[in-house]
Amino acid sequence: MTGDYTKVPLRRGDRWESAPAQQGRALLDHELNLDAAASFRRDRHLGADVLGPAGVVEGSSSFAVALVGAASPDLTVEAGRMWVDGLAALAPEAFAYSDQDQIDPLPTTGRALVYLDVWEEHVHPAEDPDIIDPALAPVETAARTRVGYRVRVAPTNATTCQAAWNGFDPASVSTGTLTVQRVGPAQPLDPCDPPGDAQGLLPEGMLRVEVLDQGSAAGARFAWSYENGSAAVPIVAIAGDTVTLQPSASVKFGDDLVEISWLARRADRRNAGGLYTINDVKSLATGDVLTLDRPVTAPAGAQGLAARRWDGQVIGATGNRNASRDGNDLGIRFRAGPGTYRPGDWWGVRVRQANGVEPLTAVPPDGTRHHFAPLALVDLDAGAVLADCRPTFRPLTDIETGSPCTMVVRPGDNLQAAVDSLPAPGGEICLSAGLFSVAGPVVVANRDRVRITGVGSATIVAATGNETLFHFIDSDDVEISDMTIRSAAAGVAPGNPALNGAVTFEGSRRVDARMLRITVPDGAVRTQTAITVRERGRRLPDRVTIVDNQLTVGAWQSGVLVTNGQDVTIERNHVTLGDPPPELRVASGDSVLAHELAKLFTASNGRNGPSRNVRLPTGTTVALLTASPVATLVDEWVRAGTPRTGTPEHAFRQFVRVTMRQAGDNLSPAGRTTYRRLARDVRAVGQGIVVGGRRIDQVRISGNIIREGVQGIHLGATVGGARNSIERALITENRIDLRVPVTYSRERHAIFVGRVDSLEIAQTRGTMSRPIGTRGIARTPVDGIRLIGAFGPSIVVRGAHFENHEVGVRAQAVGSIPTRRVWVLRDILAVGVAGSTGAIASAQFVRDLVVP
């Protein structure tokens, strides 16, 4: 770190972490530099401790080596980052070996080890003039530091990376040490010099002792500078013994010793040779011109070419060497200990007039330490890379130290293979963040204790064309949690009571689904659910837990379906209607929109209101309600005149399908507006939560939110055998906001319960909306709560508040009535629709605080 600094801010043995500033006190450069150096050292040590001696991220191409060219081979190195002893070497873009400034030529024959040489590099403004701000030029500001690196090659006979690296020992730092002390006061050259002569005073600064030429303590060349080598000026041109400099505001040369330096020479630790003596200086406005004592040997175009002033040089320092300045003996001596000395290594010593020098006793160099890592083993004769030698490490985000996971699966891995490879007792499969594309359902069959978990919404499992993504079959204890699941196709069994879900549990005894974000697509009729739990043969679900899931359901599909679950808990789930398909296009087949609008067209033919005769393209004349929501679309159909066969309803459905294929582009602006509004308004969730079957022990449905469905919660035992019923049911604190399109003609309810022995429904809040006006079209009756069937001795409904429902609670007992019973409807409120009724119930029910 050549520069004008007061001292070395942080030595290897120092434990300082920072230099907190104090109010009203001086703040020195080395205190600021201490903060930066301590932070850099901490990061470097952390990187080395965590990532190891060297490495790139697994699967990365960073610093990957390729051999190109036949006649004149060259190495190419990929862009990226590589860590070496905690130093991050960064290649912003790919480069060739020969692109490196002043690099040794690549060998042409034999095998070679390609390796990376990395070090902390200090760049003085003289070595990179772009550091100097043009507004201040030629005045210098701060220097710069970076992680320097060179890609190098070394001949080898080894055939493997390990053998080549084990037999390679690049020297990284000098093994010698230096002792610096002051043996006495400065001695003036002339006894007649007055006391306090500035020539004899110690300067305030840092003494630098640097190795210029390699050797032992007796043979190495040492140079010293009381300016820490900071007196340096960029070189513009060299011609023989003449050197032209850039203008400098801070450095003026005289009868000095100078080094001609460039970045690559220092990086490659090449000998500098003897310093040059300045014989003459011509000061020009364009920069000083130096005449040296001999011609300069320096490569043309070398980066960082500069002239640097030194106070003295010496070959060998086994004894005390006088570090004189301007010919004055300042009483400072340095001595080299046994060992080898590498060019570029240096020691820094604080010098002050008040107390002399900072003593050093046999200390290792303050810099520059080099670090190495292997990159590749190449055969130059064959023109081939024999092996990629780069060490690798796994990112910390992919390491599951102490994780309970039996295995971790990442995007691109085979999910089914992971399930099949679980040990017989079961285990946990952890899905990492990312997108998993699934072509068919992942089947977990006949297994015990299997858990599949993700890391939240960042784990996405998406189907490429199927409805079911996870299918658990005949497994005893299974759980799936904490991920996003996207179904891609509606089911293919319309009306089938055994509806498949995006997640389906079949014949599994203990079932747990939690913290899932599931989306299922639209369907023209009921074909699919988000989560399905059902029996398989005689294997019934013993315990079912479905909690904390977010279920985004397509039109006419269901959120949760459980059949024959013995102990069922469904809590804190959010079921809502999904968005319509993008641009409302279809490629083929039926569609929700065409299906529903055709129903609406049929319901609008001359019933209960003013109408007008319309002759259709089918040749049929119908009486179309003037207020029909589809009247505008029917007019568009007539205007298009597209002939269709079949019934008017079927022909109109075909017209809507053609319109959907064209995203409404075949319509007038008014028709397009109507079309897009109807496309939104005829969609609704079919059912939010359904629990049914032959015999169910107990059900808890609590804290759920269901929005935009034609029915919220449906709970009931199959009508048939005498024992078919639900033993205990608790339905509490649910919010159900119904959306009942006018096309829907069946009676619907926020909550439906049938055939239950013991029931409590408490703290229910519900609303109901009709997206399309119903004038002239029969309106679907909608109750808040509907109870019907054979009831046991305890039926309690309390704390229900419904808006826009015709009836708040409708209760009808069927069959025998228990002699001893508590059947109570209490605190029921139904408002918002003219003629709303709080409760309609059989005479056996006690009604208390029912409004209206």
Side-chain angles (χ1 to χ4, degrees):
M1 50 178 292
T2 56
D4 189 9
Y5 307 118
T6 57
K7 64 171 293 187
V8 176
L10 191 70
R11 286 201 163 94
R12 292 189 180 94
D14 292 341
R15 296 172 54 206
W16 306 125
E17 286 289 325
S18 66
Q22 300 186 77
Q23 63 177 359
R25 283 11 178 236
L27 185 62
L28 301 180
D29 65 282
H30 80 264
E31 293 170 328
L32 292 174
N33 294 335
L34 169 61
D35 277 340
S39 177
F40 182 77
R41 181 177 68 177
R42 182 168 55 251
D43 292 344
R44 190 180 74 242
H45 290 172
L46 178 62
D49 290 345
V50 173
L51 306 179
V56 298
V57 174
E58 286 180 350
S60 168
S61 63
S62 298
F63 282 88
V65 172
L67 195 59
V68 297
S72 179
D74 198 359
L75 299 174
T76 59
V77 183
E78 292 294 328
R81 181 176 58 251
M82 184 171 189
W83 293 85
V84 183
D85 284 341
L87 298 173
L90 175 64
E93 57 187 19
F95 63 95
Y97 173 86
S98 59
D99 291 338
Q100 300 176 101
D101 183 40
Q102 311 301 318
I103 196 71
D104 286 337
L106 189 69
T108 58
T109 61
R111 283 193 294 270
L113 173 68
V114 184
Y115 67 99
L116 190 64
D117 178 4
V118 179
W119 68 96
E120 297 176 39
E121 186 175 24
H122 183 283
V123 180
H124 188 277
E127 296 169 318
D128 188 349
D130 288 342
I131 292 175
I132 301 174
D133 193 299
L136 300 176
V139 176
E140 295 178 0
T141 55
R144 300 289 189 272
T145 60
R146 65 187 177 192
V147 176
Y149 62 85
R150 302 275 271 181
V151 174
R152 306 188 188 279
V153 295
T156 182
N157 293 320
T159 57
T160 65
C161 292
Q162 182 175 0
W165 190 244
N166 289 343
F168 181 60
D169 184 22
S172 61
V173 70
S174 299
T175 60
T177 60
L178 201 71
T179 297
V180 181
Q181 58 186 342
R182 194 178 192 198
V183 298
Q187 300 296 322
L189 294 179
D190 189 341
C192 298
D193 287 343
D197 186 353
Q199 294 295 319
L201 296 178
L202 289 177
E204 304 280 1
M206 186 164 77
L207 168 64
R208 179 188 190 89
V209 180
E210 183 172 320
V211 180
L212 295 184
D213 293 345
Q214 182 168 323
S216 64
R221 183 188 301 271
F222 299 89
W224 63 90
S225 164
Y226 284 92
E227 302 166 299
N228 190 40
S230 65
V233 180
I235 294 174
V236 175
I238 297 175
D241 61 355
T242 303
V243 176
T244 303
L245 308 178
Q246 283 189 3
S248 173
S250 57
V251 179
K252 296 299 180 184
F253 289 105
D255 185 13
D256 295 318
L257 293 172
V258 295
E259 168 200 3
I260 305 301
S261 175
W262 57 95
L263 290 175
R265 183 191 68 75
R266 301 178 73 83
D268 294 340
R269 293 177 171 264
R270 298 189 185 280
N271 290 338
L275 299 176
Y276 296 87
T277 300
I278 300 176
N279 289 336
D280 184 60
V281 178
K282 291 182 180 179
S283 298
L284 304 176
T286 56
D288 291 350
V289 178
L290 310 181
T291 301
L292 306 182
D293 62 337
R294 64 186 188 277
V296 174
T297 55
Q303 297 175 10
L305 197 60
R308 176 174 286 105
R309 179 165 59 206
W310 293 93
D311 288 310
Q313 64 176 332
V314 66
I315 296 177
T318 54
N320 286 331
R321 297 301 185 183
N322 177 14
S324 61
R325 180 172 182 254
D326 294 331
N328 289 292
D329 180 3
L330 303 181
I332 296 177
R333 306 288 186 267
F334 68 89
R335 182 177 69 256
T340 59
Y341 292 83
R342 303 287 313 277
D345 282 340
W346 58 274
W347 293 259
V349 182
R350 181 183 60 205
V351 178
R352 299 291 186 269
Q353 291 184 17
N355 58 358
V357 301
E358 171 189 17
L360 302 182
T361 303
V363 299
D366 291 308
T368 303
R369 189 177 188 87
H370 285 237
H371 311 265
F372 307 95
L375 294 179
L377 186 64
V378 299
D379 187 334
L380 297 167
D381 294 318
V385 175
L386 300 179
D388 181 356
C389 302
R390 298 171 302 149
T392 61
F393 61 86
R394 291 180 61 185
L396 295 181
T397 52
D398 289 349
I399 297 175
E400 294 82 20
T401 302
S403 168
C405 304
T406 308
M407 65 183 65
V408 176
V409 182
R410 297 177 177 79
D413 295 344
N414 189 316
L415 277 176
Q416 186 63 61
V419 171
D420 295 342
S421 65
L422 284 174
E428 179 170 0
I429 296 176
C430 297
L431 307 185
S432 66
L435 176 62
F436 298 79
S437 295
V438 178
V442 177
V443 178
V444 181
N446 302 295
R447 305 300 295 268
D448 297 334
R449 295 177 294 280
V450 173
R451 183 172 189 238
I452 302 176
T453 184
V455 294
S457 59
T459 299
I460 303 172
V461 184
T464 57
N466 51 296
E467 58 175 333
T468 301
L469 288 93
F470 293 95
H471 196 170
F472 299 86
I473 302 174
D474 293 350
S475 297
D476 281 347
D477 191 348
V478 289
E479 177 181 338
I480 183 169
S481 64
D482 214 18
M483 69 184 72
T484 297
I485 297 174
R486 298 174 181 168
S487 180
V492 294
N496 189 334
L499 298 176
N500 284 334
V503 177
T504 299
F505 302 89
E506 187 175 9
S508 297
R509 298 195 183 280
R510 289 176 293 281
V511 167
D512 199 329
R514 61 181 66 228
M515 292 186 294
L516 301 174
R517 300 156 186 83
I518 302 178
T519 60
V520 299
D522 286 359
V525 293
R526 184 181 63 163
T527 57
Q528 186 178 2
T529 72
I531 300 174
T532 288
V533 183
R534 63 171 177 259
E535 75 283 2
R536 177 178 166 87
R538 295 186 177 183
R539 287 181 62 92
L540 303 181
D542 292 336
R543 189 203 66 216
V544 177
T545 304
I546 301 174
V547 298
D548 296 321
N549 301 291
Q550 182 172 317
L551 311 178
T552 304
V553 181
W556 309 117
Q557 309 312 302
S558 301
V560 176
L561 171 62
V562 179
T563 62
N564 289 311
Q566 299 306 288
D567 183 352
V568 180
T569 299
I570 303 175
E571 295 182 338
R572 300 185 303 277
N573 300 284
H574 190 169
V575 183
T576 189
L577 179 66
D579 294 331
E583 298 182 341
L584 300 170
R585 293 181 185 270
V586 293
S588 62
D590 210 342
S591 66
V592 173
L593 182 58
H595 185 85
E596 297 301 320
L597 292 188
K599 288 166 55 179
L600 189 57
F601 166 76
T602 300
S604 301
N605 289 344
R607 301 177 184 178
N608 303 320
S611 61
R612 56 189 173 92
N613 291 331
V614 178
R615 185 169 179 78
L616 304 176
T618 59
T620 306
T621 299
V622 298
L624 183 69
L625 287 174
T626 304
S628 170
V630 296
T632 301
L633 286 185
V634 174
D635 291 339
E636 292 283 336
W637 181 29
V638 172
R639 179 181 60 80
T642 308
R644 296 291 179 188
T645 59
T647 66
E649 180 178 347
H650 180 267
F652 183 68
R653 180 163 57 243
Q654 294 301 311
F655 169 73
V656 175
R657 289 180 60 203
V658 171
T659 298
M660 292 183 69
R661 291 192 187 102
Q662 299 178 5
D665 293 341
N666 59 328
L667 302 177
S668 67
R672 193 177 302 119
T673 299
T674 300
Y675 161 75
R676 290 176 178 171
R677 176 177 59 82
L678 291 173
R680 294 190 305 269
D681 291 347
V682 301
R683 301 173 69 255
V685 173
Q687 294 176 304
I689 297 171
V690 180
V691 179
R694 297 183 298 275
R695 180 75 182 177
I696 301 171
D697 289 343
Q698 58 183 7
V699 179
R700 291 174 296 277
I701 303 176
S702 177
N704 301 283
I705 298 175
I706 302 170
R707 300 187 187 279
E708 302 178 287
V710 295
Q711 180 154 293
I713 297 172
H714 184 108
L715 176 61
T718 303
V719 176
R723 295 187 67 254
N724 289 1
S725 67
I726 298 170
E727 185 174 335
R728 293 180 299 277
L730 177 65
I731 304 175
T732 62
E733 298 180 347
N734 297 286
R735 172 67 185 257
I736 304 170
D737 297 326
L738 298 184
R739 171 191 179 94
V740 185
V742 69
T743 58
Y744 205 85
S745 56
R746 298 176 59 189
E747 292 184 358
R748 292 289 85 177
H749 330 279
I751 298 176
F752 175 90
V753 180
R755 298 176 67 87
V756 63
D757 292 339
S758 175
L759 170 68
E760 180 175 357
I761 303 177
Q763 304 304 320
T764 303
R765 175 67 186 268
T767 65
M768 198 275 290
S769 64
R770 299 183 186 273
I772 303 174
T774 59
R775 188 174 56 170
I777 300 176
R779 186 168 64 179
T780 304
V782 180
D783 298 335
I785 297 174
R786 179 71 181 270
L787 311 179
I788 184 170
F791 298 135
S794 176
I795 306 292
V796 176
V797 179
R798 59 184 175 85
H801 179 186
F802 294 103
E803 297 181 10
N804 299 330
H805 298 72
E806 280 76 12
V807 178
V809 178
R810 188 189 300 268
Q812 180 182 356
V814 176
S816 61
I817 308 297
T819 303
R820 300 175 65 86
R821 66 184 180 275
V822 176
W823 289 2
V824 178
L825 308 180
R826 176 180 297 153
D827 302 334
I828 311 298
L829 175 64
V831 297
V833 175
S836 292
T837 301
I840 298 176
S842 302
Q844 295 82 9
F845 284 85
V846 175
R847 282 165 282 186
D848 184 21
L849 289 177
V850 176
V851 180

